[in-house]
Amino acid sequence: MKRLFVRPELCTGCKTCELACAVEHSRSKNLLGAMLESPPPHTRLYVEANLTSHFEIFKMPMTCRHCDPAPCIAACVPQVMYRTADGVVTNVGGKHTCIACGMCVMMCPFGMIARAPAPDGKIMALKCDLCPERDTPACADACPTGAILYLEGDEFAHQSRARASAILSQAKSLREATMTQTLEE
Amino acid sequence: MERSISPDSILMLKTAQAGGVTTVWDRYEAQLPQCGFGETGLCCRHCLQGPCRIDPFGATGPKYGICGASADVIVARGLARSIAGGTSSHSAHAKHLAHTLLKFSRDEAPDYGIKDQAKFYAVLDRVGIQRDGKSDQELAGDLARLALDEFSEREAPPVWLKTTITPARMQKFEQLGLVPPGLDSAVAEVMHRTTNGVDADAVNILLGGIKCAVGDYTGMYLGTDLSDILFGTPTPVMASANLGTLKADAVNVAVHGHNPVLSEVILAQAEALRAEAVAAGAPQGINLVGICCTGLEVMMRHGIPSATNSLSQELAILTGALDAAVVDYQCIMPSLPTVASQYHTQIITTMPIAKITGATHIEFDEKQAGEKARQILRLAIEAFKKRDPAKVNIPPVTNPAMAGMSAETIVKVLALVNPDDPLKPLIDNMVNGNILGVCLFAGCNDVKITQDKNFVALVKALVAENVLILCTGCAAGSFARHGLLTSAATEKYAGAGLKAVLTALGQAAGLGAPLPMALHTGSCVDNTRAASIATAIANKLGVDVSQLPVVATAPEAAMEKAVSIGTWAVAMGLPTHVGVVPPVTGSPLVVQVLTQTAKDLLGGYFIVEPDPQAAAAKLVAALKERRAGLGI
């Protein structure tokens, strides 16, 4: 299955992903309409920032990892949270209804679940559903810098390997140049 | 979304796609999705502690900026600064003309003079300069100095404001504190009150923005006056439009930007260099065309064709036949040299404050205007020699267009029907319902809207309802591209009442056909021409402009200048439609002030409506409301 991956070095912290996520999970599905809704739509991913030096801030959109096994599923006493056939961890569309107990909120190691009103007003556990009505989740579509990617797991790793090997290929030519010099000496 | 409905633009966009040339439409797509905080106006970068953003959902995110500014304050500050940006553009344009007039008075601008003495004297009388015993050259100096003084921090209200609006409007501005002390100080005041820690009341900030926009009106009025004095008040002229006005067998030079100070001199020298162009292999000599408003300036005064307008400026290069684009300032895409690098086209910048990396810079100055113009044209002839015939692909699209319908010209045409009381035929036809009202079309094309789609749909809907149309700037350019500045368009699209009036006026003017469906009133700086007609009608009837069935629209607005023009149109009392949602939706309060409270305060208000049919219905309703108010 495809999953959300993040390249934090590309994140500018603009939070466009948060807006797009909230709009996608609104009733009207457009920004102007969503702004007028009550309750307001809620994002399902969060841009977090940490000061790493006096002038550098590490920014990263935090997304649900759809873990396997998933602590939120294990913690869901009424058995609302479940895994779909596509591997999406969700509490929507299953056999039972969320009672907003918040156990999943407490168990998620990444803090990716919020207890808040859904678009219909019901308080429940709100989390990423990978935008079932879209080919690509709204956050990945919206990211202006390509920091959020929606890829098969091995494709992301492949891209990382390609970048790493490109760096190493430069090292190789440098090394060869150095070796030649050494031999000439 | 389709990129354009203009046939010449559509053809050139195919050329761009085939050649892999990036245009404004591609760059727009690369920007999508655009930042929601910017779209709603909820981003503030006015201090170094920011940027701050307000959560537009009012949910878990911040409700205040770091300084404590609310969404309302941040949105209002952003809008006020946008108005200041527009005002400073028009003011710079007007000051440029005033300096040219001053240099003429000092014998430092040999290529300029008083072209329209009647208007010169009329303006001198209006602004209160005594003429007796002084030469025109001395008077030009007096007028230029008075004009330049308008921009400073004055003790009395700006002369070009006080003497051009109704007494009731002036009184209202004074009551509401909307009279700017000077035109540049109005801009400076907005910058001050919107910086960190000054004005933090959204309504008060908006009033500051409106005050600045009143300054914008004043500077524009002044600019148009001085243009007419230096270059002649436009009179009706038949011209043509579209990219088909470029010629395969001529050296094609586009004047692009805004100020006639440059384009008039280029035009004056083009004929002198004809032999050089012919010798270079261009049997038709130099073919001057216009892009944007400096093009409209020479269109309305000399019938120079309008090749295209701001949004599609890059497409002129893609014809492969544009040898040079000479630019001054405003609305000139920084991308021009990049696009031109794939062709032979010379992009020539001329203003010290407006250079573009990759362009050739020939600094223009009034002392040696003719010499500089010849230098520029010779560069174009040199470029022509490098033109690649294989790349020449001029779209076979041209439309006739009548231009030059200045306020003076409109009054002269009306005087042919009633010499003693020229405005009476217009007023009578508004009273009897032949004309429902008047709509001024202004503003830009905007890449967010299919080019010309809103303009064409809205104007057709309004003329069918017998609304008399004035147009300026890119609106005029758009109508010209679609053959709507013609008698044929009147025959085809106008409602029966409007058609009867335009036909009678056309017959009186000796056209043998109706006046064009839309009256080309000038470049975008000339919107005050339309305002002056409205003021004259209001004064004659003893009412204020805010009572007249007159509306304005910028259905494809893009630039800060459109924001400031729209704001002064509201200040003058006009219901003003905008077809692009401006970045104010983050503040319900600001939206309410602009669309509702303004109506109570000023009579004018904004109507935001992206759909042209719905916009037409709202504008017609606004006109009918005004008519009901007047009991007609």
Side-chain angles (χ1 to χ4, degrees), chain A residues 13-16 18-19 22-23 31-32 34-35 40-42 141-144, chain B residues 32-37 39-40 42 53 56-60 581 585-586:
Chain A
C14 73
K15 302 195 178 200
T16 301
E18 289 189 8
L19 279 190
V23 169
L31 180 58
L32 291 182
M35 285 167 59
H42 202 292
D141 258 353
C143 180
Chain B
L32 294 176
Q34 288 175 298
C35 168
F37 300 98
E39 282 181 325
T40 51
L42 288 172
R53 286 163 309 189
F57 309 122
T60 49
V581 181
T585 50

PDB file of all heavy atoms in Angstrom, chain A residues 13-16 18-19 22-23 31-32 34-35 40-42 141-144, chain B residues 32-37 39-40 42 53 56-60 581 585-586:
ATOM      1  N   GLY A  13       7.106  24.919   6.916  1.00  0.00           N
ATOM      2  CA  GLY A  13       6.216  25.241   8.035  1.00  0.00           C
ATOM      3  C   GLY A  13       5.049  26.131   7.653  1.00  0.00           C
ATOM      4  O   GLY A  13       4.477  26.810   8.496  1.00  0.00           O
ATOM      5  N   CYS A  14       4.671  26.144   6.396  1.00  0.00           N
ATOM      6  CA  CYS A  14       3.579  27.042   5.975  1.00  0.00           C
ATOM      7  C   CYS A  14       2.213  26.548   6.411  1.00  0.00           C
ATOM      8  O   CYS A  14       1.253  27.290   6.416  1.00  0.00           O
ATOM      9  CB  CYS A  14       3.594  27.239   4.465  1.00  0.00           C
ATOM     10  SG  CYS A  14       3.021  25.795   3.537  1.00  0.00           S
ATOM     11  N   LYS A  15       2.142  25.274   6.749  1.00  0.00           N
ATOM     12  CA  LYS A  15       0.898  24.672   7.234  1.00  0.00           C
ATOM     13  C   LYS A  15      -0.191  24.593   6.182  1.00  0.00           C
ATOM     14  O   LYS A  15      -1.368  24.455   6.506  1.00  0.00           O
ATOM     15  CB  LYS A  15       0.366  25.418   8.474  1.00  0.00           C
ATOM     16  CG  LYS A  15       1.369  25.445   9.613  1.00  0.00           C
ATOM     17  CD  LYS A  15       0.684  25.841  10.884  1.00  0.00           C
ATOM     18  CE  LYS A  15       1.678  25.820  12.034  1.00  0.00           C
ATOM     19  NZ  LYS A  15       1.004  25.732  13.321  1.00  0.00           N
ATOM     20  N   THR A  16       0.196  24.722   4.931  1.00  0.00           N
ATOM     21  CA  THR A  16      -0.792  24.546   3.868  1.00  0.00           C
ATOM     22  C   THR A  16      -1.402  23.147   3.936  1.00  0.00           C
ATOM     23  O   THR A  16      -2.587  22.960   3.659  1.00  0.00           O
ATOM     24  CB  THR A  16      -0.129  24.789   2.500  1.00  0.00           C
ATOM     25  OG1 THR A  16       0.389  26.113   2.499  1.00  0.00           O
ATOM     26  CG2 THR A  16      -1.110  24.645   1.355  1.00  0.00           C
ATOM     27  N   GLU A  18      -2.035  21.437   6.607  1.00  0.00           N
ATOM     28  CA  GLU A  18      -3.066  21.420   7.652  1.00  0.00           C
ATOM     29  C   GLU A  18      -4.366  22.007   7.113  1.00  0.00           C
ATOM     30  O   GLU A  18      -5.456  21.476   7.360  1.00  0.00           O
ATOM     31  CB  GLU A  18      -2.606  22.223   8.874  1.00  0.00           C
ATOM     32  CG  GLU A  18      -1.500  21.551   9.668  1.00  0.00           C
ATOM     33  CD  GLU A  18      -1.241  22.269  10.991  1.00  0.00           C
ATOM     34  OE1 GLU A  18      -2.012  23.177  11.346  1.00  0.00           O
ATOM     35  OE2 GLU A  18      -0.236  21.920  11.652  1.00  0.00           O
ATOM     36  N   LEU A  19      -4.248  23.121   6.383  1.00  0.00           N
ATOM     37  CA  LEU A  19      -5.451  23.733   5.809  1.00  0.00           C
ATOM     38  C   LEU A  19      -6.137  22.767   4.846  1.00  0.00           C
ATOM     39  O   LEU A  19      -7.349  22.567   4.895  1.00  0.00           O
ATOM     40  CB  LEU A  19      -5.092  25.002   5.030  1.00  0.00           C
ATOM     41  CG  LEU A  19      -4.867  26.291   5.794  1.00  0.00           C
ATOM     42  CD1 LEU A  19      -4.764  27.450   4.809  1.00  0.00           C
ATOM     43  CD2 LEU A  19      -5.990  26.552   6.774  1.00  0.00           C
ATOM     44  N   ALA A  22      -7.857  19.932   6.643  1.00  0.00           N
ATOM     45  CA  ALA A  22      -9.100  20.349   7.299  1.00  0.00           C
ATOM     46  C   ALA A  22     -10.200  20.587   6.266  1.00  0.00           C
ATOM     47  O   ALA A  22     -11.356  20.204   6.478  1.00  0.00           O
ATOM     48  CB  ALA A  22      -8.855  21.617   8.119  1.00  0.00           C
ATOM     49  N   VAL A  23      -9.834  21.200   5.147  1.00  0.00           N
ATOM     50  CA  VAL A  23     -10.832  21.451   4.094  1.00  0.00           C
ATOM     51  C   VAL A  23     -11.370  20.127   3.550  1.00  0.00           C
ATOM     52  O   VAL A  23     -12.572  19.944   3.366  1.00  0.00           O
ATOM     53  CB  VAL A  23     -10.230  22.315   2.959  1.00  0.00           C
ATOM     54  CG1 VAL A  23     -11.158  22.346   1.747  1.00  0.00           C
ATOM     55  CG2 VAL A  23      -9.963  23.732   3.464  1.00  0.00           C
ATOM     56  N   LEU A  31     -12.230  26.078   0.823  1.00  0.00           N
ATOM     57  CA  LEU A  31     -11.714  26.878   1.928  1.00  0.00           C
ATOM     58  C   LEU A  31     -12.745  27.873   2.452  1.00  0.00           C
ATOM     59  O   LEU A  31     -12.975  27.979   3.649  1.00  0.00           O
ATOM     60  CB  LEU A  31     -10.433  27.604   1.485  1.00  0.00           C
ATOM     61  CG  LEU A  31      -9.753  28.488   2.524  1.00  0.00           C
ATOM     62  CD1 LEU A  31      -9.370  27.705   3.762  1.00  0.00           C
ATOM     63  CD2 LEU A  31      -8.525  29.161   1.932  1.00  0.00           C
ATOM     64  N   LEU A  32     -13.369  28.616   1.508  1.00  0.00           N
ATOM     65  CA  LEU A  32     -14.303  29.651   1.955  1.00  0.00           C
ATOM     66  C   LEU A  32     -15.487  29.031   2.681  1.00  0.00           C
ATOM     67  O   LEU A  32     -15.900  29.506   3.734  1.00  0.00           O
ATOM     68  CB  LEU A  32     -14.788  30.482   0.764  1.00  0.00           C
ATOM     69  CG  LEU A  32     -13.736  31.377   0.131  1.00  0.00           C
ATOM     70  CD1 LEU A  32     -14.352  32.188  -0.993  1.00  0.00           C
ATOM     71  CD2 LEU A  32     -13.120  32.304   1.167  1.00  0.00           C
ATOM     72  N   ALA A  34     -15.581  26.086   4.154  1.00  0.00           N
ATOM     73  CA  ALA A  34     -15.131  25.441   5.391  1.00  0.00           C
ATOM     74  C   ALA A  34     -14.977  26.460   6.519  1.00  0.00           C
ATOM     75  O   ALA A  34     -15.239  26.166   7.683  1.00  0.00           O
ATOM     76  CB  ALA A  34     -13.808  24.716   5.141  1.00  0.00           C
ATOM     77  N   MET A  35     -14.553  27.685   6.145  1.00  0.00           N
ATOM     78  CA  MET A  35     -14.363  28.712   7.170  1.00  0.00           C
ATOM     79  C   MET A  35     -15.675  29.094   7.841  1.00  0.00           C
ATOM     80  O   MET A  35     -15.682  29.621   8.943  1.00  0.00           O
ATOM     81  CB  MET A  35     -13.726  29.960   6.540  1.00  0.00           C
ATOM     82  CG  MET A  35     -12.254  29.781   6.256  1.00  0.00           C
ATOM     83  SD  MET A  35     -11.628  31.084   5.203  1.00  0.00           S
ATOM     84  CE  MET A  35     -11.995  32.518   6.178  1.00  0.00           C
ATOM     85  N   PRO A  40     -15.948  23.973  13.319  1.00  0.00           N
ATOM     86  CA  PRO A  40     -14.916  24.140  12.296  1.00  0.00           C
ATOM     87  C   PRO A  40     -14.257  22.804  11.962  1.00  0.00           C
ATOM     88  O   PRO A  40     -14.151  21.941  12.831  1.00  0.00           O
ATOM     89  CB  PRO A  40     -13.913  25.088  12.955  1.00  0.00           C
ATOM     90  CG  PRO A  40     -14.167  24.959  14.407  1.00  0.00           C
ATOM     91  CD  PRO A  40     -15.607  24.627  14.575  1.00  0.00           C
ATOM     92  N   PRO A  41     -13.874  22.615  10.710  1.00  0.00           N
ATOM     93  CA  PRO A  41     -13.223  21.351  10.353  1.00  0.00           C
ATOM     94  C   PRO A  41     -11.863  21.228  11.047  1.00  0.00           C
ATOM     95  O   PRO A  41     -11.234  22.230  11.382  1.00  0.00           O
ATOM     96  CB  PRO A  41     -13.069  21.444   8.842  1.00  0.00           C
ATOM     97  CG  PRO A  41     -13.071  22.900   8.538  1.00  0.00           C
ATOM     98  CD  PRO A  41     -13.932  23.552   9.576  1.00  0.00           C
ATOM     99  N   HIS A  42     -11.441  20.002  11.254  1.00  0.00           N
ATOM    100  CA  HIS A  42     -10.229  19.731  12.044  1.00  0.00           C
ATOM    101  C   HIS A  42      -9.189  19.043  11.176  1.00  0.00           C
ATOM    102  O   HIS A  42      -9.502  18.117  10.440  1.00  0.00           O
ATOM    103  CB  HIS A  42     -10.615  18.829  13.221  1.00  0.00           C
ATOM    104  CG  HIS A  42      -9.642  18.899  14.356  1.00  0.00           C
ATOM    105  ND1 HIS A  42      -8.363  18.412  14.256  1.00  0.00           N
ATOM    106  CD2 HIS A  42      -9.772  19.406  15.599  1.00  0.00           C
ATOM    107  CE1 HIS A  42      -7.741  18.604  15.405  1.00  0.00           C
ATOM    108  NE2 HIS A  42      -8.573  19.218  16.238  1.00  0.00           N
ATOM    109  N   ASP A 141      -0.984  16.513  -1.908  1.00  0.00           N
ATOM    110  CA  ASP A 141      -1.323  17.328  -3.078  1.00  0.00           C
ATOM    111  C   ASP A 141      -1.025  18.797  -2.820  1.00  0.00           C
ATOM    112  O   ASP A 141      -0.619  19.531  -3.718  1.00  0.00           O
ATOM    113  CB  ASP A 141      -2.811  17.184  -3.399  1.00  0.00           C
ATOM    114  CG  ASP A 141      -3.045  16.253  -4.571  1.00  0.00           C
ATOM    115  OD1 ASP A 141      -2.050  15.833  -5.197  1.00  0.00           O
ATOM    116  OD2 ASP A 141      -4.208  15.961  -4.847  1.00  0.00           O
ATOM    117  N   ALA A 142      -1.282  19.237  -1.597  1.00  0.00           N
ATOM    118  CA  ALA A 142      -1.216  20.669  -1.304  1.00  0.00           C
ATOM    119  C   ALA A 142       0.196  21.151  -1.024  1.00  0.00           C
ATOM    120  O   ALA A 142       0.492  22.329  -1.188  1.00  0.00           O
ATOM    121  CB  ALA A 142      -2.100  20.994  -0.104  1.00  0.00           C
ATOM    122  N   CYS A 143       1.085  20.261  -0.589  1.00  0.00           N
ATOM    123  CA  CYS A 143       2.394  20.720  -0.117  1.00  0.00           C
ATOM    124  C   CYS A 143       3.128  21.465  -1.236  1.00  0.00           C
ATOM    125  O   CYS A 143       3.404  20.899  -2.295  1.00  0.00           O
ATOM    126  CB  CYS A 143       3.239  19.550   0.358  1.00  0.00           C
ATOM    127  SG  CYS A 143       4.847  20.125   0.944  1.00  0.00           S
ATOM    128  N   PRO A 144       3.448  22.766  -1.035  1.00  0.00           N
ATOM    129  CA  PRO A 144       4.078  23.534  -2.112  1.00  0.00           C
ATOM    130  C   PRO A 144       5.525  23.136  -2.375  1.00  0.00           C
ATOM    131  O   PRO A 144       6.065  23.489  -3.418  1.00  0.00           O
ATOM    132  CB  PRO A 144       3.980  24.982  -1.626  1.00  0.00           C
ATOM    133  CG  PRO A 144       3.791  24.905  -0.166  1.00  0.00           C
ATOM    134  CD  PRO A 144       3.140  23.586   0.137  1.00  0.00           C
TER     135      PRO A 144
ATOM    136  N   LEU B  32       0.158  26.335  -7.608  1.00  0.00           N
ATOM    137  CA  LEU B  32      -1.011  25.735  -6.960  1.00  0.00           C
ATOM    138  C   LEU B  32      -0.629  24.543  -6.095  1.00  0.00           C
ATOM    139  O   LEU B  32       0.257  23.795  -6.473  1.00  0.00           O
ATOM    140  CB  LEU B  32      -2.020  25.292  -8.032  1.00  0.00           C
ATOM    141  CG  LEU B  32      -2.637  26.441  -8.831  1.00  0.00           C
ATOM    142  CD1 LEU B  32      -3.550  25.899  -9.927  1.00  0.00           C
ATOM    143  CD2 LEU B  32      -3.413  27.374  -7.916  1.00  0.00           C
ATOM    144  N   PRO B  33      -1.234  24.294  -4.951  1.00  0.00           N
ATOM    145  CA  PRO B  33      -2.260  25.161  -4.373  1.00  0.00           C
ATOM    146  C   PRO B  33      -1.621  26.383  -3.733  1.00  0.00           C
ATOM    147  O   PRO B  33      -0.537  26.288  -3.153  1.00  0.00           O
ATOM    148  CB  PRO B  33      -2.906  24.271  -3.311  1.00  0.00           C
ATOM    149  CG  PRO B  33      -1.790  23.375  -2.865  1.00  0.00           C
ATOM    150  CD  PRO B  33      -0.936  23.147  -4.076  1.00  0.00           C
ATOM    151  N   GLN B  34      -2.283  27.524  -3.826  1.00  0.00           N
ATOM    152  CA  GLN B  34      -1.728  28.718  -3.190  1.00  0.00           C
ATOM    153  C   GLN B  34      -2.041  28.699  -1.696  1.00  0.00           C
ATOM    154  O   GLN B  34      -3.017  28.085  -1.255  1.00  0.00           O
ATOM    155  CB  GLN B  34      -2.301  29.960  -3.874  1.00  0.00           C
ATOM    156  CG  GLN B  34      -1.710  30.127  -5.279  1.00  0.00           C
ATOM    157  CD  GLN B  34      -2.323  31.255  -6.066  1.00  0.00           C
ATOM    158  OE1 GLN B  34      -3.503  31.246  -6.338  1.00  0.00           O
ATOM    159  NE2 GLN B  34      -1.522  32.227  -6.433  1.00  0.00           N
ATOM    160  N   CYS B  35      -1.201  29.358  -0.955  1.00  0.00           N
ATOM    161  CA  CYS B  35      -1.280  29.322   0.510  1.00  0.00           C
ATOM    162  C   CYS B  35      -2.610  29.902   0.991  1.00  0.00           C
ATOM    163  O   CYS B  35      -2.984  31.021   0.667  1.00  0.00           O
ATOM    164  CB  CYS B  35      -0.111  30.112   1.083  1.00  0.00           C
ATOM    165  SG  CYS B  35      -0.267  30.450   2.821  1.00  0.00           S
ATOM    166  N   GLY B  36      -3.313  29.123   1.793  1.00  0.00           N
ATOM    167  CA  GLY B  36      -4.626  29.535   2.278  1.00  0.00           C
ATOM    168  C   GLY B  36      -4.569  30.743   3.203  1.00  0.00           C
ATOM    169  O   GLY B  36      -5.524  31.512   3.280  1.00  0.00           O
ATOM    170  N   PHE B  37      -3.447  30.912   3.897  1.00  0.00           N
ATOM    171  CA  PHE B  37      -3.335  32.075   4.788  1.00  0.00           C
ATOM    172  C   PHE B  37      -3.241  33.349   3.948  1.00  0.00           C
ATOM    173  O   PHE B  37      -3.843  34.369   4.269  1.00  0.00           O
ATOM    174  CB  PHE B  37      -2.121  31.931   5.702  1.00  0.00           C
ATOM    175  CG  PHE B  37      -2.188  30.710   6.561  1.00  0.00           C
ATOM    176  CD1 PHE B  37      -1.516  29.553   6.208  1.00  0.00           C
ATOM    177  CD2 PHE B  37      -2.950  30.705   7.709  1.00  0.00           C
ATOM    178  CE1 PHE B  37      -1.595  28.413   6.986  1.00  0.00           C
ATOM    179  CE2 PHE B  37      -3.044  29.571   8.499  1.00  0.00           C
ATOM    180  CZ  PHE B  37      -2.359  28.414   8.132  1.00  0.00           C
ATOM    181  N   GLU B  39      -4.343  33.646   0.858  1.00  0.00           N
ATOM    182  CA  GLU B  39      -5.623  33.814   0.148  1.00  0.00           C
ATOM    183  C   GLU B  39      -6.663  34.517   1.003  1.00  0.00           C
ATOM    184  O   GLU B  39      -7.489  35.260   0.496  1.00  0.00           O
ATOM    185  CB  GLU B  39      -6.192  32.434  -0.235  1.00  0.00           C
ATOM    186  CG  GLU B  39      -5.537  31.807  -1.436  1.00  0.00           C
ATOM    187  CD  GLU B  39      -6.159  30.455  -1.771  1.00  0.00           C
ATOM    188  OE1 GLU B  39      -6.554  29.716  -0.852  1.00  0.00           O
ATOM    189  OE2 GLU B  39      -6.244  30.150  -2.953  1.00  0.00           O
ATOM    190  N   THR B  40      -6.634  34.256   2.297  1.00  0.00           N
ATOM    191  CA  THR B  40      -7.651  34.827   3.175  1.00  0.00           C
ATOM    192  C   THR B  40      -7.184  36.126   3.827  1.00  0.00           C
ATOM    193  O   THR B  40      -7.936  36.750   4.565  1.00  0.00           O
ATOM    194  CB  THR B  40      -8.004  33.824   4.291  1.00  0.00           C
ATOM    195  OG1 THR B  40      -6.785  33.392   4.904  1.00  0.00           O
ATOM    196  CG2 THR B  40      -8.727  32.613   3.729  1.00  0.00           C
ATOM    197  N   LEU B  42      -4.815  36.313   6.029  1.00  0.00           N
ATOM    198  CA  LEU B  42      -4.541  36.075   7.451  1.00  0.00           C
ATOM    199  C   LEU B  42      -3.063  35.888   7.746  1.00  0.00           C
ATOM    200  O   LEU B  42      -2.696  35.234   8.714  1.00  0.00           O
ATOM    201  CB  LEU B  42      -5.335  34.847   7.920  1.00  0.00           C
ATOM    202  CG  LEU B  42      -6.831  35.110   8.042  1.00  0.00           C
ATOM    203  CD1 LEU B  42      -7.591  33.826   8.315  1.00  0.00           C
ATOM    204  CD2 LEU B  42      -7.110  36.133   9.143  1.00  0.00           C
ATOM    205  N   ARG B  53       0.383  33.980  11.415  1.00  0.00           N
ATOM    206  CA  ARG B  53      -0.801  33.525  10.712  1.00  0.00           C
ATOM    207  C   ARG B  53      -1.908  33.258  11.709  1.00  0.00           C
ATOM    208  O   ARG B  53      -1.658  32.768  12.804  1.00  0.00           O
ATOM    209  CB  ARG B  53      -0.503  32.238   9.934  1.00  0.00           C
ATOM    210  CG  ARG B  53       0.317  32.477   8.694  1.00  0.00           C
ATOM    211  CD  ARG B  53       0.900  31.202   8.222  1.00  0.00           C
ATOM    212  NE  ARG B  53       1.579  30.538   9.335  1.00  0.00           N
ATOM    213  CZ  ARG B  53       2.341  29.466   9.196  1.00  0.00           C
ATOM    214  NH1 ARG B  53       2.514  28.951   8.015  1.00  0.00           N
ATOM    215  NH2 ARG B  53       2.902  28.918  10.240  1.00  0.00           N
ATOM    216  N   PRO B  56      -7.636  30.212  10.103  1.00  0.00           N
ATOM    217  CA  PRO B  56      -8.886  30.687   9.488  1.00  0.00           C
ATOM    218  C   PRO B  56     -10.118  29.948   9.998  1.00  0.00           C
ATOM    219  O   PRO B  56     -11.234  30.435   9.843  1.00  0.00           O
ATOM    220  CB  PRO B  56      -8.677  30.419   7.987  1.00  0.00           C
ATOM    221  CG  PRO B  56      -7.595  29.419   7.902  1.00  0.00           C
ATOM    222  CD  PRO B  56      -6.759  29.547   9.139  1.00  0.00           C
ATOM    223  N   PHE B  57      -9.904  28.777  10.617  1.00  0.00           N
ATOM    224  CA  PHE B  57     -11.048  28.021  11.125  1.00  0.00           C
ATOM    225  C   PHE B  57     -11.409  28.454  12.551  1.00  0.00           C
ATOM    226  O   PHE B  57     -12.398  28.003  13.101  1.00  0.00           O
ATOM    227  CB  PHE B  57     -10.741  26.523  11.099  1.00  0.00           C
ATOM    228  CG  PHE B  57     -10.245  26.068   9.766  1.00  0.00           C
ATOM    229  CD1 PHE B  57      -9.009  25.454   9.647  1.00  0.00           C
ATOM    230  CD2 PHE B  57     -10.994  26.285   8.625  1.00  0.00           C
ATOM    231  CE1 PHE B  57      -8.548  25.049   8.419  1.00  0.00           C
ATOM    232  CE2 PHE B  57     -10.535  25.883   7.388  1.00  0.00           C
ATOM    233  CZ  PHE B  57      -9.298  25.263   7.278  1.00  0.00           C
ATOM    234  N   GLY B  58     -10.550  29.283  13.132  1.00  0.00           N
ATOM    235  CA  GLY B  58     -10.808  29.709  14.504  1.00  0.00           C
ATOM    236  C   GLY B  58     -10.853  28.542  15.460  1.00  0.00           C
ATOM    237  O   GLY B  58     -11.497  28.603  16.498  1.00  0.00           O
ATOM    238  N   ALA B  59     -10.163  27.459  15.098  1.00  0.00           N
ATOM    239  CA  ALA B  59     -10.232  26.255  15.932  1.00  0.00           C
ATOM    240  C   ALA B  59      -9.069  26.231  16.913  1.00  0.00           C
ATOM    241  O   ALA B  59      -8.994  27.058  17.812  1.00  0.00           O
ATOM    242  CB  ALA B  59     -10.237  25.022  15.040  1.00  0.00           C
ATOM    243  N   THR B  60      -8.143  25.314  16.711  1.00  0.00           N
ATOM    244  CA  THR B  60      -7.066  25.141  17.700  1.00  0.00           C
ATOM    245  C   THR B  60      -5.905  26.094  17.472  1.00  0.00           C
ATOM    246  O   THR B  60      -5.120  26.338  18.367  1.00  0.00           O
ATOM    247  CB  THR B  60      -6.545  23.697  17.629  1.00  0.00           C
ATOM    248  OG1 THR B  60      -6.299  23.384  16.247  1.00  0.00           O
ATOM    249  CG2 THR B  60      -7.562  22.727  18.190  1.00  0.00           C
ATOM    250  N   VAL B 581     -12.074  37.078  -5.772  1.00  0.00           N
ATOM    251  CA  VAL B 581     -12.222  37.248  -4.324  1.00  0.00           C
ATOM    252  C   VAL B 581     -10.914  37.813  -3.774  1.00  0.00           C
ATOM    253  O   VAL B 581      -9.867  37.174  -3.867  1.00  0.00           O
ATOM    254  CB  VAL B 581     -12.553  35.905  -3.641  1.00  0.00           C
ATOM    255  CG1 VAL B 581     -12.725  36.112  -2.144  1.00  0.00           C
ATOM    256  CG2 VAL B 581     -13.828  35.309  -4.236  1.00  0.00           C
ATOM    257  N   THR B 585     -11.176  37.577   3.056  1.00  0.00           N
ATOM    258  CA  THR B 585     -12.227  36.715   3.592  1.00  0.00           C
ATOM    259  C   THR B 585     -11.900  36.188   4.988  1.00  0.00           C
ATOM    260  O   THR B 585     -12.776  35.660   5.663  1.00  0.00           O
ATOM    261  CB  THR B 585     -12.471  35.518   2.655  1.00  0.00           C
ATOM    262  OG1 THR B 585     -11.208  34.917   2.368  1.00  0.00           O
ATOM    263  CG2 THR B 585     -13.111  35.960   1.359  1.00  0.00           C
ATOM    264  N   GLY B 586     -10.645  36.361   5.427  1.00  0.00           N
ATOM    265  CA  GLY B 586     -10.277  35.923   6.781  1.00  0.00           C
ATOM    266  C   GLY B 586     -10.906  36.778   7.866  1.00  0.00           C
ATOM    267  O   GLY B 586     -10.858  36.425   9.041  1.00  0.00           O
TER     268      GLY B 586
END
